[in-house]
Amino acid sequence: LLGWGAAYGPLALRGEAWRAASAVFLHGGLMHLAGNLCMLLLVGRLAERLLGTAGFVGASLFAGVAGCLLAMAWFPLSVHVGASGLAYGAY
């Protein structure tokens, strides 16, 4: 996952800050992906109706990157992937 752009604190601090965005699109397996998709299906449709498509995409990407940055700050030596921050941001 690190080779594909997973978030990892030491690499992000060495100039690879782009990992906070790329990690949102990676997942640790099919169950991880399915969980994030289920959450987005449950909450995302309502959030998109409230914010509009562009607003929903912008807010979701912001929440996903912010969640990844917070995860790296809290657990800097762990590898982080997934759209959980994005899904909870929609919630």
Side-chain angles (χ1 to χ4, degrees):
L1 290 172
L2 283 175
W4 289 352
Y8 182 60
L11 292 177
L13 290 174
R14 289 189 200 132
E16 297 182 17
W18 54 267
R19 290 180 173 274
S22 64
V24 174
F25 299 99
L26 297 173
H27 286 80
L30 288 177
M31 291 303 293
H32 186 204
L33 176 63
N36 285 161
L37 288 174
C38 285
M39 181 71 165
L40 281 173
L41 280 173
L42 290 172
V43 182
R45 290 182 288 176
L46 175 62
E48 185 180 12
R49 272 191 271 153
L50 292 172
L51 300 173
T53 301
F56 175 70
V57 169
S60 295
L61 290 175
F62 174 79
V65 172
C68 191
L69 290 172
L70 286 172
M72 283 194 296
W74 197 264
F75 301 105
L77 298 179
S78 295
V79 176
H80 304 281
V81 294
S84 298
L86 186 147
Y88 285 110
Y91 183 73

